Amino acid sequence: MGGVTSSMAAKFAFFPPNPPSYKLITDDLTGLLLLSPFPHRENVEILKLPTRKGTEIVAMYIRHPMASSTLLYSHGNAADLGQMYELFIELSIHLRVNLMGLIGSPGYSSPTIMNASVLEINLPLLFAYVSVCRYDYSGYGQSTGKPSEQHTYADIEAAYKCLEESYGTKQEDIILYGQSVGSGPTLDLAARLPQLKAVVLHSPILSGLRVMYPVKRSYWFDIYKNIDKIPLVNCPVLIIHGTSDEVVDCSHGKQLWELCKEKYEPLWLKGGSHCDLEHYPEYIRHLKKFISTVEKSPSQRYSSRRSTDHFEQARKSTDFFEVSRKSTDRREKPRPSTERPEKLKNHSNNADKLEKLRMSFDQMERSRRSVDCHEKSRKSIDHQLERARKSVDRLDRIRNG
């Protein structure tokens, strides 16, 4: 039963275009790999990367010379590099980014490509100086092998390894972006990279099985168990989901956000479906805000939050001290109360009254003691005067006798 269900989930998850939308050719003069029928661009590199599963995937790296971060992009499930090529060129131009990515599609259905006018209007508002890496899953486009969950994990590892070894990209400069099924390999890798800069999840899934059935627990035969992996991610996580998503319900994104260790303000696009979120102006603005935030150094990013946290802890500390002081003032040890809030309030008022009475009695006692001390001093002086007077009288009697 488990194997059958897992196979069903895999068939539901992967829809590689057939035939592929591009061909891979080698330029006779330069020896560079090219995507046919697309023209060669100086800042675009086409790569063939071996994976630990024995397959070879095709990746596209779009470089920007001033990039400080690299976006490793894992898309959905129904497109390949050829279908997304022009979109990513536009992204690199308007975002001034280096780009490397693993391709799928914008979702489970056929891909929706943003047109140039949308990019011209919105994308300049986004972040600057980010490289982008994108790649075809095994079995997609001209990548060899067959698509599967385990293959996609090996695929994203190969792309990540390429960024580290071929381009010198550091873990702390990488932002993982996963859309739809792409959220699976994204979170699997993110859970194993403790110094990652950030993660973006676009219409993510809780798990493959949960897209089809509302199961309450994770089964061994399920695929892409993001629900179990996202608590292991240590970096900031942005989640974007459409409220009218007909393929992956918005509840998937909301539940994942609740499980994030380091939550960033999510974006729930009202009326957004599974394949059109890029068209919303809010998408661009919110992504820009997120990227700008994580581009800051960790000390800058967390200084204000730490400051408010420190203030809050100090306030709570003084509150605790105050509670402890009042507790020690009481004659009896405080006991956990099971009374209603009103009774607790009355009890607190009575305690305040008793405290005031005790202070009044203390003041009266101090005053009385002060008076007694004064009285004793006065009697001592009177006694000394009396003794002196008697001494004088005795001297007079001696002299007269």
Side-chain angles (χ1 to χ4, degrees):
M1 176 61 185
V4 173
T5 306
S6 181
S7 177
M8 289 172 58
K11 289 181 179 179
F12 185 73
F14 304 111
F15 297 97
N18 189 18
S21 65
Y22 68 94
K23 292 182 179 180
L24 202 59
I25 61 174
T26 302
D27 185 87
D28 293 333
L29 296 177
T30 63
L32 296 175
L33 287 175
L34 303 175
L35 290 187
S36 176
F38 305 100
H40 172 64
R41 296 176 180 267
E42 291 297 327
N43 66 322
V44 178
E45 295 182 57
I46 305 302
L47 310 164
K48 294 174 73 175
L49 307 175
T51 76
R52 59 178 172 81
K53 287 288 187 178
T55 63
E56 193 172 55
I57 62 171
V58 179
M60 177 171 65
Y61 182 76
I62 305 178
R63 181 198 301 269
H64 192 284
M66 297 180 65
S68 58
S69 298
T70 297
L71 194 72
L72 179 51
Y73 201 105
S74 301
H75 223 299
N77 69 339
D80 59 22
L81 279 174
Q83 291 176 323
M84 307 299 290
Y85 181 85
E86 293 298 336
L87 169 62
F88 270 74
I89 294 300
E90 292 292 336
L91 284 172
S92 68
I93 292 172
H94 293 285
L95 305 182
R96 292 176 286 178
V97 300
N98 294 328
L99 185 153
M100 184 172 183
L102 180 148
I103 202 81
S105 81
Y108 287 92
S109 56
S110 58
T112 300
I113 308 298
M114 286 190 291
N115 57 48
S117 62
V118 173
L119 291 168
E120 289 287 349
I121 294 171
N122 292 324
L123 294 181
L125 299 176
L126 231 169
F127 51 94
Y129 309 138
V130 179
S131 304
V132 184
C133 171
R134 192 161 186 173
Y135 58 100
D136 260 344
Y137 298 124
S138 295
Y140 279 73
Q142 298 299 327
S143 295
T144 64
K146 294 182 179 180
S148 71
E149 177 191 17
Q150 295 303 318
H151 274 145
T152 60
Y153 295 157
D155 297 340
I156 194 171
E157 287 174 13
Y160 174 76
K161 183 179 179 182
C162 173
L163 289 175
E164 275 194 322
E165 297 180 356
S166 300
Y167 299 100
T169 308
K170 297 179 181 179
Q171 181 183 148
E172 54 267 29
D173 294 329
I174 293 177
I175 301 169
L176 299 184
Y177 189 117
Q179 183 172 1
S180 190
V181 162
S183 62
T186 293
L187 282 177
D188 184 75
L189 183 61
R192 295 180 280 122
L193 298 179
Q195 297 179 355
L196 198 63
K197 175 169 280 189
V199 169
V200 180
L201 299 177
H202 179 148
S203 304
I205 63 174
L206 286 167
S207 73
L209 191 59
R210 286 174 172 86
V211 175
M212 300 184 290
Y213 309 110
V215 295
K216 300 298 182 182
R217 55 177 293 242
S218 295
Y219 293 91
W220 66 269
F221 51 81
D222 198 357
I223 65 171
Y224 297 131
K225 289 176 268 196
N226 294 337
I227 189 173
D228 299 327
K229 296 176 183 178
I230 198 165
L232 305 176
V233 177
N234 294 318
C235 63
V237 178
L238 166 63
I239 297 183
I240 305 170
H241 215 121
T243 60
S244 299
D245 193 320
E246 71 289 353
V247 178
V248 180
D249 190 79
C250 189
S251 60
H252 285 243
K254 290 182 176 180
Q255 191 170 341
L256 287 173
W257 184 79
E258 291 292 341
L259 294 171
C260 286
K261 185 180 295 184
E262 187 171 339
K263 299 177 175 66
Y264 185 83
E265 180 186 358
L267 179 60
W268 314 126
L269 285 169
K270 187 176 181 180
S273 65
H274 197 68
C275 304
D276 65 354
L277 303 188
E278 298 92 340
H279 294 282
Y280 286 77
E282 300 95 318
Y283 166 83
I284 298 297
R285 287 197 295 265
H286 204 74
L287 192 55
K288 173 191 174 183
K289 181 181 175 184
F290 177 67
I291 297 297
S292 298
T293 299
V294 301
E295 279 291 305
K296 299 176 183 177
S297 66
S299 58
Q300 290 178 314
R301 194 165 71 221
Y302 301 125
S303 59
S304 60
R305 191 183 71 180
R306 284 176 179 171
S307 177
T308 56
D309 289 348
H310 178 74
F311 176 78
E312 181 67 15
Q313 289 172 359
R315 186 189 66 79
K316 290 180 179 179
S317 177
T318 55
D319 290 347
F320 176 78
F321 176 78
E322 181 67 17
V323 171
S324 300
R325 187 189 64 78
K326 290 182 178 180
S327 176
T328 56
D329 285 346
R330 297 189 185 116
R331 300 304 179 190
E332 295 180 359
K333 293 182 179 179
R335 296 188 298 267
S337 174
T338 56
E339 297 177 335
R340 292 175 295 183
E342 187 63 32
K343 290 185 178 181
L344 289 173
K345 183 179 179 182
N346 292 337
H347 178 74
S348 177
N349 291 336
N350 291 337
D352 291 341
K353 291 178 181 178
L354 288 172
E355 178 69 13
K356 290 179 180 178
L357 286 173
R358 188 182 66 78
M359 293 176 65
S360 298
F361 286 136
D362 289 346
Q363 290 175 352
M364 290 173 65
E365 180 66 17
R366 285 194 296 269
S367 299
R368 185 186 64 77
R369 290 176 180 175
S370 178
V371 171
D372 289 346
C373 182
H374 177 73
E375 183 66 21
K376 288 180 180 179
S377 298
R378 187 183 63 79
K379 287 181 179 181
S380 176
I381 294 171
D382 290 345
H383 179 68
Q384 292 176 4
L385 289 172
E386 180 66 21
R387 288 180 63 186
R389 187 183 62 78
K390 287 180 179 181
S391 296
V392 172
D393 289 346
R394 188 179 301 113
L395 288 173
D396 286 342
R397 284 197 298 272
I398 292 172
R399 188 177 62 240
N400 294 332

